[in-house]
Amino acid sequence: MIESIVPAASSYAWEIDYIFTMIFVLTGFWFLLCEVVFFWLIFKFKAKDGQPAEYITGSEPHLKRWITIPHVLVLVCDLFILTAAVKVWYDIKQYLPEPEKTVRVIGQQWAWTFVHPGPDGVLDSSDDIRTVNELHLENETVYHYQLESVDVLHDFSVPVFRLKQDAIPGRVITGWFEPTLEGEFDVQCAEMCGIGHGLMGARVFVESAEKHAAWMATQSPVALAANFPAQRIGKE
Amino acid sequence: MAESIPSDSPAVADDHHGHEEPSFWSKYVFSTDHKMIAMQYMFTGMAMAVIGGFMAYAFRMQLAFPGIEVPGFGIVTPANYNALVTNHGAIMIFWVAMPVLIAAFGNYLIPLMCGCDDMVFPKLNRLSYQIFLLSAVVLLSSFFVEGGGFGGAWTAYPPLSAKAEYSLTPLGSSIWLGAVALEFVAFLLGGINFITTAMNSRAPGMKLYDIPIVIWMIVIASILFLVSVGPLIAGAIMLLFDQQLGTAFFDPARGGDPVLWQHLFWFFGHPEVYVVLLPALGITAEIITVFARKKLFGYKTVLHTTIATGVLSFTVWAHHQFISGVDPRMAHVFTLTTLLISVPIAEMMFVYIATLYGGSIRLTTPMLWGLSFIAEFLIGGVTGIFLGASGADIYFHDTYFVLAHFHYTFFPIAIIGTFAGLTFWFPKMFGRMMNDRLGKIHFWGTIIPFNFIFIPLFVLGMGGQHRRIFDYSYFPELSMPWMQDIRVLATSSLLIMLGFQVVFFYNFIVSLRSGEKASKNPWKSNTLEWTADSPPPHGNWKELPTVYRGPYEYSVPGRDEDYWPQDQPN
Amino acid sequence: MKPIATTRSTSGMPTGLLAIWWVVGSEIVIFGGLLGSYIMYRLSHDAWANQAANTNTALGTLNTFVLLTSSLFAVLAHRAAESGDGKKAARLLYYTIGGAVTFVCVKAFEWSTEIAHGYTITSNTFWSFYYTAAGIHALHVIAGAIIMAIVARDAAKNMELQRVELIGIYWHFVDIVWIFLFPLLYIAK
Amino acid sequence: MSEESHTNYVKIWALLVVLLAVSVLGPMLEIQIITLLTAFGIAFVKAYLVAKYFMHINMTPRFVPYLMVTCLVFMLLFVVGTAPDVYKSEGTNWKKTAEWQYMPPSPADHGGAAEHH
């Protein structure tokens, strides 16, 4: 259901959409059942002249089972949801597949800094590419992200990836995603981070391997120096 | 019947009341009478609700029409916006839901329903209100200091809240925190009073299972509050020191851990949901039994599920923090407990619905409110499952889905619960009946727009719209035309809903002055408060009642009337 | 005049006693949250042991002794009040207040020495906890002493003697908090 | 009952003082396990003695001790739920940076030195 509003652009987006649909169906069933019974009871037992209410304590077995049976069924539904939730959570947050590339994501008031591994594919090497509010990814590549914050709490949220993780100063949090859809999408900050919280957006560019390589070429120190000779080069 | 109560005749009541004419100050301001303190809480809470509603109006206007000059407020800057949403949340929970549902109804109902003349500590009660009033004044003053009101969200996560260079509100954040701490002190004092009164001062003959459910609920809520708030009080002191003295309890750059605050906050914050929920559920239980003329379907079931919910509510707190940096393995534990807590709450809902079975339902205004509480709270309940399931929460955390979810719980609690209780006990409180027609107009004028505010917000949440963003035009995916249309729909519904509150205030004031005189027991209810005069004099009864049976003996076969007051020997 | 409500005791214990136990319960969670946080931080920071070495164990021990002794006076006051001897109860309560005053004086001396040596609340998080926890406890001591003075004044006139027991229970609780603060802040090094 | 406990108050106090002495002297052996036992084990014993003999918790209705224990259990629960994030310095897919062990230079090096000279 979510994918009809927000495109699914990562390898695990379907899992989130699936668990949403599953919970929607299960809780929707119980919700509708309750509301239908509820309104039916209201209409059925509206006060009528000369028809007093019945005296029911709720301990009569033949009536009480109308509570206890749904009670058990709710518990069973909960077990289904629990299993699915644990599975999805494990896949996305706990389990880390082997990365092909790693990016560093740094939140600060009020911008995102992204450190790309550069052409050699290794982070913290001399050809790292550091950008502000622009994340360039290669399609169908397993990425790890290392999430940091320099001041307050931020939250790295990419709705199309179904990815969300708080950035906490004083911690490095690792996670993963694999983009599966080329295009340009939103990165949002999803944790209150002060006055500029509403401005703290970035863009993620998911590109094919060739386009990604071409982008990297434009970001090489040589290319940058050629384009902006007067400026400081955007890497340390 | 009601006529058999000794202190029945108006002459007696007047005599009881009239031998000393208290001055205005001792009667209305420094009264120790639980009913007057209840009214003070009620009207302070309502005034704060008006302020909180005005804040909602201001920031909803900004969201629907970014950048316009909001009539009555002006331009909503980002700093304004943050301060408005922060204080809207804090006010509606701490200064509206708690004072009205726990303090006002607790103060009013506990002595009357337990059959005693006052709270056990009347002066402590007065002190508790005075501290509460002070806390409200302190909170509102935070808007007028240098830097403006605190804008770090009502959860006040450090380091944003801990350092002025991050929050840009050097005084506002400390004043806000101080106000919250004062409010906690007020409710600790009040809570001890409620618990002790209900435990120790019940009428002779009133055994544990003869206590009306609403009293149980208020007492259990007070206990939950009392037991859960401690860590947050400690945390508030630590955060205040971080702000004002420069300590580093939550400063990660100097050996602190901001996640500790989140735990301290939510260890209180989650039980707090039940602290305000339970009294509203209790009010609903009283109303549906009276107007369905039915015994509650399983008094003990309700009680046991309430206690189970209360205990479980201490084990679920970290589901608010799934993606805020808690260890991923812990999420499994908290998902399990969160899904478990849905079971007793679901059962309680089933019991309420089942109570209607075989009833003789009268759709008066209070009954409409009571029924709508169940219907609307169900939406809040089922949408909670999406957020409690860790996997789905990855997507929904901090989106408008969360916002719509907890408004579907807090709106039924704080607004529907309050209106239900107020319209139900209005005859007892003020001795006059409320206008039923105006009441119904107000009911439909509130309930229908309410759904049109928040159902669309669920859709926005599914669209990935995050909270606390003052203008979505900076995010291409969130500024699509259909999303903006939904925001306009929600805001216009809010305006309609706020407009209909005028009907309520009109009805309230007119009924107060010239409503039909209420008899002692206009709804033919069983519980003890209806055996006192309307309104009850100081001391409530001339002769305190004795209890002979449970509170929900309606439509007992073989009796002439369909109700059987608790204080009648037979 | 007290309402009739106050004189009832459906739960099987006097109203004041019931209320004071609820107060104790709410205090347990306040100190529980603070000390729980401290313990987690402490176990995670080995370097704090060196900081704790700078606390004055001798004065801490003295203060523990003072509080234990004042608790003894409080319980003896309770016994006197139970037997209806308000004068004796008041006198014993004044001894307890004396203990409180001694405690606060020792604390003041201890703190001023430490601050003079540069260990202030902002020195590092160990000292932040040290001053915060001991400070909140000291506030409880001061508040208890003030309330006790009021109770003693009434008790001397044989009024409200049941309050002697209530303030005693509160005082013992403050004592227990210190019993835990003492090893946490002073002994564990 | 009350007569018996009356005579005991001073004895209990003496016992508490002895325990205090043990808890102070124990750590001087500088054996970790003994430090823990004497410092914290004895704290619990002392708290128990005070609660039982001074506060008379055993003479109150049953729910009072239960309530106190419940409060303690909830605090334990709080610590258990919080420790994986606050006490630990790394966990699944996250770790704290070096600042977590931040410790400024000891103030005694400056203030204390200035004090002595």
Side-chain angles (χ1 to χ4, degrees):
Chain A
M1 287 179 77
I2 305 174
E3 68 269 22
S4 60
I5 307 179
V6 183
S10 77
S11 59
Y12 53 59
W14 71 272
E15 290 194 57
I16 302 254
D17 296 359
Y18 172 81
I19 189 174
F20 174 80
T21 310
M22 173 187 168
I23 300 177
F24 189 84
V25 170
L26 284 176
T27 59
F29 165 75
W30 282 105
F31 172 69
L32 282 180
L33 185 73
C34 284
E35 296 282 358
V36 165
V37 171
F38 178 70
F39 283 106
W40 176 73
L41 286 173
I42 293 177
F43 285 108
K44 177 98 195 312
F45 294 102
K46 233 178 142 181
K48 298 179 197 79
D49 281 339
Q51 189 183 340
E54 294 173 45
Y55 184 74
I56 298 166
T57 63
S59 52
E60 301 86 346
H62 70 287
L63 291 173
K64 193 165 186 199
R65 63 168 184 246
W66 286 96
I67 301 292
T68 44
I69 294 173
H71 175 81
V72 174
L73 290 179
V74 166
L75 197 59
V76 172
C77 288
D78 272 354
L79 284 181
F80 280 111
I81 296 173
L82 177 69
T83 318
V86 166
K87 165 92 173 71
V88 173
W89 179 267
Y90 177 84
D91 287 350
I92 298 177
K93 290 287 183 192
Q94 196 173 335
Y95 163 74
L96 281 183
E98 273 305 303
E100 295 171 57
K101 283 185 175 178
T102 302
V103 290
R104 180 168 297 131
V105 181
I106 304 165
Q108 70 188 81
Q109 285 182 325
W110 292 284
W112 294 102
T113 306
F114 300 102
V115 184
H116 304 75
D120 66 353
V122 181
L123 204 60
D124 294 324
S125 59
S126 61
D127 66 344
D128 282 1
I129 301 169
R130 184 179 273 258
T131 57
V132 174
N133 287 347
E134 271 189 26
L135 174 61
H136 288 262
L137 300 173
E138 191 182 327
N139 199 11
E140 307 204 325
T141 306
V142 177
Y143 275 92
H144 274 192
Y145 60 86
Q146 290 179 358
L147 192 53
E148 296 169 17
S149 167
V150 296
D151 39 36
V152 301
L153 299 180
H154 298 281
D155 189 307
F156 179 57
S157 170
V158 188
V160 290
F161 290 175
R162 313 287 187 265
L163 165 68
K164 193 173 290 169
Q165 179 61 53
D166 270 20
I168 301 176
R171 276 171 206 226
V172 180
I173 298 170
T174 312
W176 74 281
F177 55 82
E178 183 189 347
T180 53
L181 185 68
E182 286 177 32
E184 184 189 334
F185 308 107
D186 262 3
V187 175
Q188 301 165 1
C189 176
E191 186 67 67
M192 176 57 113
C193 59
I195 273 188
H197 174 57
L199 308 173
M200 198 171 157
R203 298 294 274 173
V204 51
F205 299 85
V206 181
E207 297 151 344
S208 62
E210 305 85 65
K211 273 178 83 179
H212 189 66
W215 172 77
M216 278 194 288
T218 66
Q219 299 294 314
S220 70
V222 182
L224 279 181
N227 285 342
F228 311 103
Q231 282 187 2
R232 279 190 49 147
I233 294 166
K235 81 187 251 323
E236 287 162 3
Chain B
M1 279 309 34
E3 281 69 31
S4 64
I5 305 302
S7 67
D8 170 48
S9 79
V12 177
D14 279 348
D15 183 44
H16 183 80
H17 201 52
H19 52 81
E20 41 169 334
E21 193 53 50
S23 73
F24 171 82
W25 289 97
S26 64
K27 188 173 175 197
Y28 293 107
V29 183
F30 297 111
S31 171
T32 54
D33 182 21
H34 71 101
K35 298 180 289 293
M36 186 51 65
I37 294 173
M39 289 305 116
Q40 292 172 337
Y41 268 118
M42 176 80 79
F43 289 119
T44 317
M46 278 185 179
M48 293 303 276
V50 171
I51 296 171
F54 176 73
M55 291 175 169
Y57 153 78
F59 63 70
R60 269 314 319 172
M61 287 297 278
Q62 158 70 16
L63 287 173
F65 314 104
I68 67 154
E69 192 173 329
V70 178
F73 186 86
I75 303 271
V76 181
T77 64
N80 283 345
Y81 181 84
N82 286 354
L84 286 173
V85 291
T86 302
N87 287 285
H88 168 78
I91 285 178
M92 287 303 192
I93 290 172
F94 293 135
W95 281 276
V96 176
M98 291 192 57
V100 172
L101 286 167
I102 298 194
F105 285 116
N107 259 313
Y108 199 85
L109 297 177
I110 289 177
L112 276 167
M113 282 187 149
C114 291
C116 54
D117 53 346
D118 206 331
M119 301 297 275
V120 287
F121 305 118
K123 285 182 191 157
L124 190 70
N125 206 9
R126 181 179 62 187
L127 179 68
S128 137
Y129 171 73
Q130 287 164 345
I131 296 177
F132 169 74
L133 185 65
L134 177 69
S135 77
V137 173
V138 169
L139 178 83
L140 295 179
S141 73
S142 75
F143 280 92
F144 304 104
V145 297
E146 194 191 339
F150 176 55
W154 81 287
T155 50
Y157 282 175
L160 179 63
S161 58
K163 277 195 180 171
E165 67 242 49
Y166 295 149
S167 66
L168 305 179
T169 50
L171 293 173
S173 41
S174 293
I175 295 177
W176 184 87
L177 200 62
V180 173
L182 273 178
E183 201 262 3
F184 290 162
V185 172
F187 280 97
L188 275 179
L189 298 180
I192 288 168
N193 217 343
F194 298 155
I195 299 166
T196 317
T197 307
M199 283 180 75
N200 236 6
S201 305
R202 299 196 299 276
M206 187 182 256
K207 294 187 282 295
L208 282 182
Y209 292 129
D210 297 336
I211 305 173
I213 283 293
V214 65
I215 302 300
W216 267 116
M217 296 275 192
I218 292 174
V219 168
I220 293 174
S222 300
I223 295 175
L224 290 184
F225 179 79
L226 199 121
V227 177
S228 67
V229 78
L232 185 55
I233 290 182
I237 295 169
M238 287 151 75
L239 186 57
L240 201 63
F241 284 0
D242 268 14
Q243 288 171 352
Q244 294 299 337
L245 302 179
T247 55
F249 292 114
F250 305 118
D251 182 358
R254 291 189 289 145
D257 188 350
V259 176
L260 173 64
W261 167 267
Q262 302 183 7
H263 283 288
L264 290 166
F265 185 88
W266 287 115
F267 187 78
F268 161 76
H270 198 83
E272 168 71 11
V273 174
Y274 296 92
V275 169
V276 290
L277 165 65
L278 294 181
L281 275 171
I283 290 169
T284 310
E286 301 302 319
I287 290 173
I288 57 173
T289 49
V290 168
F291 292 106
R293 315 307 294 163
K294 270 287 307 290
K295 195 178 166 78
L296 197 62
F297 192 94
Y299 176 100
K300 289 186 185 175
T301 316
V302 173
L303 188 55
H304 296 161
T305 50
T306 308
I307 294 170
T309 311
V311 173
L312 275 174
S313 73
F314 282 91
T315 63
V316 300
W317 78 90
H319 68 214
H320 296 266
Q321 304 162 254
F322 277 151
I323 61 142
S324 359
V326 301
D327 194 287
R329 286 168 295 179
M330 292 302 286
H332 301 311
V333 180
F334 286 102
T335 304
L336 172 70
T337 53
T338 305
L339 289 172
L340 269 183
I341 205 171
S342 71
V343 175
I345 284 285
E347 177 152 8
M348 212 185 300
M349 285 289 121
F350 294 153
V351 167
Y352 279 38
I353 294 171
T355 302
L356 299 174
Y357 175 81
S360 171
I361 297 168
R362 271 147 234 198
L363 293 176
T364 56
T365 312
M367 184 59 162
L368 285 178
W369 285 113
L371 292 175
S372 69
F373 177 86
I374 299 171
E376 303 286 358
F377 185 75
L378 272 171
I379 303 182
V382 295
T383 51
I385 304 281
F386 293 88
L387 308 167
S390 52
D393 187 61
I394 298 173
Y395 184 67
F396 286 119
H397 182 96
D398 254 342
T399 61
Y400 266 57
F401 195 92
V402 179
L403 183 139
H405 155 70
F406 72 70
H407 278 88
Y408 259 105
T409 58
F410 277 119
F411 187 91
I413 291 168
I415 309 298
I416 298 183
T418 302
F419 283 134
L422 201 57
T423 47
F424 183 60
W425 280 291
F426 188 90
K428 185 53 63 185
M429 288 171 173
F430 304 107
R432 289 177 188 274
M433 303 299 285
M434 256 182 139
N435 186 320
D436 203 49
R437 223 167 72 104
L438 284 177
K440 281 179 178 156
I441 293 174
H442 170 237
F443 169 78
W444 291 110
T446 305
I447 285 298
I448 295 172
F450 160 64
N451 286 292
F452 276 95
I453 301 172
F454 291 108
I455 296 254
L457 296 189
F458 278 120
V459 180
L460 284 180
M462 283 169 61
Q465 175 177 318
H466 287 127
R467 294 166 66 189
R468 296 160 180 160
I469 290 174
F470 78 104
D471 183 353
Y472 289 96
S473 51
Y474 295 93
F475 301 95
E477 280 168 26
L478 300 181
S479 50
M480 287 181 274
W482 69 270
M483 288 185 139
Q484 198 56 34
D485 291 346
I486 287 185
R487 286 177 204 126
V488 174
L489 170 65
T491 300
S492 17
S493 307
L494 174 78
L495 294 180
I496 295 170
M497 189 179 91
L498 290 179
F500 268 100
Q501 302 316 305
V502 175
V503 178
F504 169 77
F505 284 108
Y506 173 79
N507 187 6
F508 189 87
I509 292 165
V510 168
S511 304
L512 205 59
R513 296 166 69 97
S514 55
E516 187 196 331
K517 285 261 185 216
S519 63
K520 264 186 174 181
N521 193 354
W523 313 121
K524 295 189 170 36
S525 172
N526 281 350
T527 40
L528 287 178
E529 80 273 26
W530 300 103
T531 63
D533 289 330
S534 300
H538 191 79
N540 297 344
W541 289 276
K542 193 143 191 275
E543 202 171 301
L544 295 179
T546 306
V547 169
Y548 297 94
R549 67 187 60 74
Y552 301 117
E553 297 300 314
Y554 292 104
S555 308
V556 179
R559 286 186 56 83
D560 293 341
E561 295 94 1
D562 60 354
Y563 66 118
W564 199 358
Q566 284 188 281
D567 68 330
Q568 282 195 13
N570 48 51
Chain C
M1 200 190 73
K2 279 184 195 169
I4 297 163
T6 318
T7 59
R8 286 181 173 170
S9 59
T10 319
S11 72
M13 61 200 294
T15 302
L17 192 61
L18 179 61
I20 205 77
W21 278 110
W22 281 105
V23 172
V24 170
S26 71
E27 297 275 5
I28 285 180
V29 287
I30 295 179
F31 282 103
L34 185 65
L35 296 184
S37 307
Y38 168 72
I39 291 170
M40 284 185 281
Y41 272 44
R42 177 71 192 262
L43 291 176
S44 187
H45 291 87
D46 296 334
W48 285 21
N50 302 330
Q51 301 294 319
N54 295 311
T55 55
N56 192 329
T57 312
L59 288 182
T61 314
L62 173 64
N63 259 349
T64 317
F65 175 76
V66 167
L67 271 193
L68 285 176
T69 313
S70 72
S71 255
L72 174 70
F73 288 134
V75 78
L76 290 175
H78 169 210
R79 176 168 74 179
E82 250 184 359
S83 58
D85 191 349
K87 284 235 158 31
K88 189 177 171 197
R91 199 176 66 240
L92 285 160
L93 279 185
Y94 285 126
Y95 293 160
T96 317
I97 296 172
V101 172
T102 317
F103 179 89
V104 173
C105 289
V106 171
K107 192 107 260 186
F109 172 73
E110 197 186 337
W111 280 18
S112 40
T113 317
E114 276 151 3
I115 291 170
H117 282 81
Y119 300 105
T120 63
I121 191 165
T122 50
S123 288
N124 57 55
T125 309
F126 170 78
W127 290 98
S128 304
F129 268 113
Y130 172 82
Y131 286 107
T132 307
I136 295 174
H137 176 262
L139 281 181
H140 280 78
V141 170
I142 294 168
I146 293 170
I147 299 167
M148 215 178 293
I150 299 168
V151 173
R153 197 194 61 195
D154 285 349
K157 298 176 210 148
N158 269 337
M159 284 158 58
E160 307 275 10
L161 282 182
Q162 84 283 359
R163 285 185 182 163
V164 176
E165 181 186 6
L166 308 185
I167 188 64
I169 288 179
Y170 173 83
W171 194 254
H172 301 314
F173 170 74
V174 173
D175 189 12
I176 288 181
V177 171
W178 184 257
I179 285 175
F180 285 102
L181 277 180
F182 175 59
L184 281 172
L185 296 178
Y186 292 86
I187 296 187
K189 284 175 179 164
Chain D
M1 178 75 198
S2 60
E3 196 54 41
E4 182 190 9
S5 55
H6 286 171
T7 51
N8 279 347
Y9 287 147
V10 178
K11 278 188 200 163
I12 297 295
W13 170 78
L15 184 56
L16 285 168
V17 171
V18 171
L19 284 173
L20 169 65
V22 175
S23 69
V24 174
L25 297 176
M28 291 183 182
L29 298 173
E30 303 209 336
I31 305 166
Q32 182 132 34
I33 185 79
I34 293 191
T35 305
L36 284 178
L37 269 181
T38 52
F40 295 101
I42 284 182
F44 280 99
V45 174
K46 282 197 288 190
Y48 172 78
L49 288 175
V50 172
K52 183 169 180 193
Y53 292 102
F54 285 1
M55 296 167 100
H56 303 117
I57 197 168
N58 55 337
M59 293 188 213
T60 56
R62 190 83 57 81
F63 68 85
V64 172
Y66 283 167
L67 171 72
M68 300 300 125
V69 171
T70 309
C71 288
L72 287 173
V73 168
F74 278 143
M75 285 304 103
L76 189 67
L77 188 73
F78 169 73
V79 171
V80 168
T82 306
D85 301 315
V86 176
Y87 157 63
K88 305 274 274 185
S89 43
E90 62 183 304
T92 309
N93 305 343
W94 63 272
K95 70 177 202 294
K96 289 181 183 168
T97 54
E99 282 91 41
W100 172 237
Q101 293 296 339
Y102 168 87
M103 179 58 67
S106 183
D109 300 343
H110 314 290
E115 182 81 9
H116 288 300
H117 294 291

